[in-house]
Coordinates of all heavy atoms in Angstrom, one line a residue:
N1 N -88.9 71.0 105.5 CA -88.2 70.9 106.8 C -89.0 69.9 107.7 O -89.0 70.1 108.9 CB -88.0 72.2 107.5 CG -87.2 73.2 106.7 OD1 -86.2 72.7 106.0 ND2 -87.5 74.4 106.7
I2 N -89.6 68.9 107.2 CA -90.3 67.9 108.0 C -89.4 66.6 108.1 O -89.0 66.1 107.0 CB -91.7 67.5 107.3 CG1 -92.5 68.8 107.1 CG2 -92.4 66.5 108.2 CD1 -92.8 69.6 108.3
N3 N -89.2 66.2 109.3 CA -88.4 64.9 109.5 C -89.3 63.7 109.2 O -90.5 63.7 109.4 CB -87.9 64.8 110.9 CG -86.8 65.8 111.2 OD1 -86.2 66.4 110.2 ND2 -86.4 65.9 112.4
P4 N -88.7 62.6 108.7 CA -89.4 61.4 108.4 C -90.0 60.8 109.7 O -89.5 61.1 110.8 CB -88.3 60.4 107.9 CG -87.2 61.3 107.4 CD -87.2 62.5 108.3
L5 N -91.0 60.0 109.6 CA -91.6 59.4 110.8 C -90.6 58.3 111.3 O -90.1 57.5 110.6 CB -92.9 58.7 110.4 CG -94.1 59.6 110.1 CD1 -95.3 58.8 109.6 CD2 -94.6 60.3 111.4
D6 N -90.5 58.3 112.6 CA -89.7 57.3 113.3 C -90.7 56.4 114.0 O -91.2 56.7 115.1 CB -88.7 57.9 114.3 CG -87.8 56.9 115.0 OD1 -88.1 55.7 114.8 OD2 -86.9 57.3 115.6
F7 N -91.0 55.3 113.4 CA -92.1 54.4 113.9 C -91.7 53.7 115.1 O -92.5 53.1 115.8 CB -92.5 53.4 112.8 CG -93.3 54.0 111.7 CD1 -92.7 54.3 110.5 CD2 -94.6 54.2 111.8 CE1 -93.4 54.9 109.5 CE2 -95.4 54.8 110.8 CZ -94.8 55.1 109.6
S8 N -90.4 53.7 115.5 CA -90.0 53.2 116.8 C -90.4 54.1 118.0 O -90.4 53.7 119.1 CB -88.5 52.9 116.8 OG -87.8 54.1 116.7
K9 N -90.7 55.4 117.6 CA -91.0 56.4 118.6 C -92.4 56.9 118.6 O -92.9 57.4 119.6 CB -90.0 57.6 118.5 CG -88.6 57.2 118.8 CD -87.7 58.5 118.6 CE -86.2 58.1 118.9 NZ -85.4 59.3 118.8
V10 N -93.1 56.8 117.5 CA -94.5 57.2 117.4 C -95.4 56.0 117.3 O -95.1 55.0 116.8 CB -94.7 58.1 116.1 CG1 -93.9 59.4 116.2 CG2 -94.4 57.3 114.8
S11 N -96.6 56.2 117.9 CA -97.6 55.1 118.0 C -98.9 55.6 117.5 O -99.2 56.8 117.4 CB -97.7 54.6 119.4 OG -98.1 55.7 120.3
P12 N -99.8 54.7 117.1 CA -101.1 55.1 116.6 C -101.9 55.9 117.6 O -101.8 55.7 118.8 CB -101.8 53.8 116.2 CG -100.7 52.8 116.0 CD -99.6 53.3 117.0
E13 N -102.7 56.8 117.1 CA -103.6 57.6 118.0 C -104.9 56.8 118.3 O -105.4 56.1 117.4 CB -104.0 58.9 117.3 CG -102.8 59.7 116.9 CD -103.2 60.9 116.0 OE1 -103.7 61.9 116.6 OE2 -102.9 60.8 114.8
K14 N -105.4 56.9 119.5 CA -106.6 56.1 119.9 C -107.7 57.1 120.4 O -107.4 58.1 121.0 CB -106.3 55.1 121.0 CG -105.3 54.1 120.6 CD -105.0 53.1 121.7 CE -104.0 52.1 121.3 NZ -103.7 51.1 122.4
S15 N -108.9 56.8 120.1 CA -110.0 57.7 120.4 C -111.2 57.0 121.1 O -111.4 55.8 120.9 CB -110.5 58.4 119.2 OG -111.3 57.6 118.4
Y16 N -112.0 57.8 121.9 CA -113.2 57.3 122.5 C -114.2 58.4 122.2 O -114.0 59.6 122.4 CB -113.0 57.1 124.0 CG -111.8 56.3 124.4 CD1 -110.5 56.9 124.5 CD2 -111.9 55.0 124.6 CE1 -109.4 56.2 124.9 CE2 -110.7 54.2 125.0 CZ -109.5 54.9 125.1 OH -108.4 54.1 125.4
G17 N -115.4 58.0 121.8 CA -116.4 59.0 121.4 C -117.8 58.5 121.8 O -118.2 57.4 121.9
L18 N -118.6 59.5 122.2 CA -120.0 59.4 122.6 C -120.9 60.4 121.8 O -120.4 61.5 121.6 CB -120.3 59.5 124.1 CG -119.6 58.5 125.0 CD1 -119.8 58.9 126.5 CD2 -120.2 57.1 124.8
N19 N -122.1 60.0 121.4 CA -123.0 61.0 120.9 C -124.4 60.6 121.1 O -124.7 59.4 121.3 CB -122.7 61.2 119.4 CG -122.9 59.9 118.6 OD1 -124.0 59.5 118.3 ND2 -121.8 59.3 118.2
G20 N -125.3 61.5 121.1 CA -126.7 61.3 121.3 C -127.6 62.4 120.7 O -127.1 63.5 120.5
D21 N -128.8 62.1 120.4 CA -129.7 63.1 119.8 C -131.1 62.9 120.1 O -131.5 61.8 120.5 CB -129.5 63.3 118.3 CG -130.2 62.2 117.5 OD1 -130.5 61.2 118.0 OD2 -130.4 62.5 116.3
V22 N -131.9 63.9 120.0 CA -133.4 63.8 120.1 C -133.9 64.5 118.9 O -133.5 65.6 118.5 CB -133.9 64.6 121.4 CG1 -135.4 64.5 121.5 CG2 -133.3 63.9 122.7
N23 N -134.9 63.8 118.3 CA -135.5 64.3 117.0 C -137.0 64.4 117.2 O -137.6 63.4 117.6 CB -135.1 63.4 115.9 CG -135.5 64.0 114.5 OD1 -134.8 64.9 114.1 ND2 -136.5 63.5 113.9
Y24 N -137.5 65.6 116.9 CA -139.0 65.8 117.0 C -139.5 66.5 115.8 O -138.9 67.4 115.2 CB -139.3 66.7 118.2 CG -140.7 67.0 118.5 CD1 -141.6 66.1 118.9 CD2 -141.2 68.3 118.2 CE1 -143.0 66.4 119.1 CE2 -142.5 68.6 118.4 CZ -143.4 67.6 118.8 OH -144.7 67.9 119.0
K25 N -140.7 66.0 115.3 CA -141.3 66.5 114.2 C -142.8 66.6 114.4 O -143.4 65.8 115.0 CB -141.1 65.7 112.9 CG -141.6 64.3 113.0 CD -141.2 63.5 111.7 CE -141.8 62.1 111.7 NZ -141.5 61.4 110.5
T26 N -143.4 67.7 113.9 CA -144.9 67.9 114.1 C -145.4 68.9 113.0 O -144.6 69.4 112.2 CB -145.2 68.4 115.5 OG1 -146.6 68.4 115.7 CG2 -144.7 69.8 115.7
T27 N -146.7 69.1 113.0 CA -147.3 70.2 112.2 C -147.9 71.2 113.1 O -148.6 70.9 114.0 CB -148.4 69.6 111.3 OG1 -147.8 68.5 110.5 CG2 -149.0 70.6 110.4
I28 N -147.5 72.5 112.8 CA -148.0 73.6 113.6 C -149.2 74.3 112.8 O -149.0 74.6 111.6 CB -146.9 74.6 113.9 CG1 -145.7 73.9 114.6 CG2 -147.4 75.8 114.8 CD1 -144.5 74.8 114.7
F29 N -150.3 74.5 113.5 CA -151.4 75.2 112.9 C -151.9 74.5 111.6 O -152.5 75.1 110.8 CB -151.1 76.7 112.6 CG -150.4 77.4 113.7 CD1 -149.2 78.0 113.5 CD2 -151.1 77.6 114.9 CE1 -148.6 78.7 114.6 CE2 -150.5 78.3 115.9 CZ -149.3 78.8 115.8
D30 N -151.7 73.2 111.6 CA -152.1 72.4 110.4 C -151.6 72.9 109.1 O -152.0 72.6 108.0 CB -153.7 72.4 110.3 CG -154.3 71.6 111.5 OD1 -153.7 70.6 111.9 OD2 -155.4 72.0 111.9
E31 N -150.5 73.7 109.2 CA -150.0 74.4 107.9 C -148.5 74.3 107.8 O -147.9 74.1 106.8 CB -150.4 75.9 107.9 CG -151.9 76.1 107.7 CD -152.3 75.9 106.3 OE1 -151.4 76.0 105.4 OE2 -153.5 75.7 106.0
V32 N -147.8 74.4 109.0 CA -146.4 74.5 109.0 C -145.7 73.2 109.5 O -146.0 72.7 110.6 CB -145.9 75.7 109.9 CG1 -144.4 75.8 109.9 CG2 -146.6 76.9 109.4
S33 N -144.9 72.6 108.7 CA -144.1 71.4 109.2 C -142.9 71.9 110.0 O -142.2 72.8 109.5 CB -143.7 70.5 108.0 OG -142.8 71.2 107.2
F34 N -142.7 71.3 111.1 CA -141.6 71.7 112.0 C -140.8 70.5 112.5 O -141.4 69.5 112.9 CB -142.3 72.4 113.2 CG -141.3 72.7 114.4 CD1 -140.5 73.8 114.3 CD2 -141.2 71.8 115.5 CE1 -139.6 74.1 115.3 CE2 -140.3 72.1 116.5 CZ -139.5 73.2 116.4
T35 N -139.5 70.6 112.3 CA -138.6 69.5 112.7 C -137.4 70.1 113.5 O -136.9 71.1 113.1 CB -138.0 68.7 111.5 OG1 -139.1 68.2 110.8 CG2 -137.2 67.6 112.0
I36 N -137.1 69.5 114.6 CA -135.9 69.9 115.4 C -135.1 68.7 115.8 O -135.7 67.7 116.2 CB -136.3 70.8 116.6 CG1 -135.1 71.2 117.4 CG2 -137.3 70.0 117.5 CD1 -135.4 72.3 118.4
N37 N -133.8 68.8 115.6 CA -132.9 67.8 116.1 C -131.9 68.4 117.0 O -131.2 69.4 116.6 CB -132.2 67.1 114.9 CG -131.2 66.1 115.3 OD1 -130.0 66.3 115.5 ND2 -131.7 64.8 115.4
Q38 N -131.7 67.8 118.2 CA -130.8 68.3 119.1 C -129.8 67.2 119.4 O -130.1 66.1 119.8 CB -131.4 68.7 120.5 CG -130.5 69.2 121.5 CD -129.9 70.5 121.1 OE1 -130.6 71.5 120.8 NE2 -128.5 70.6 121.1

């Protein structure tokens, strides 16, 4: 029960996107490797 696309009435979708991150790595107590990414 899906109708065919009517390309005279539907148009392409458009998007805008942003992203960012912070990455930190170190060694704790000279024994434990620790990495965090936000």
Side-chain angles (χ1 to χ4, degrees):
N1 300 325
I2 306 298
N3 285 352
L5 288 171
D6 186 347
F7 286 98
S8 65
K9 295 181 179 180
V10 297
S11 58
E13 304 169 73
K14 298 179 182 179
S15 72
Y16 310 85
L18 296 171
N19 60 74
D21 79 338
V22 178
N23 192 73
Y24 178 72
K25 61 180 182 179
T26 189
T27 301
I28 305 173
F29 310 121
D30 293 325
E31 292 283 338
V32 182
S33 66
F34 171 82
T35 302
I36 182 170
N37 178 270
Q38 182 65 56

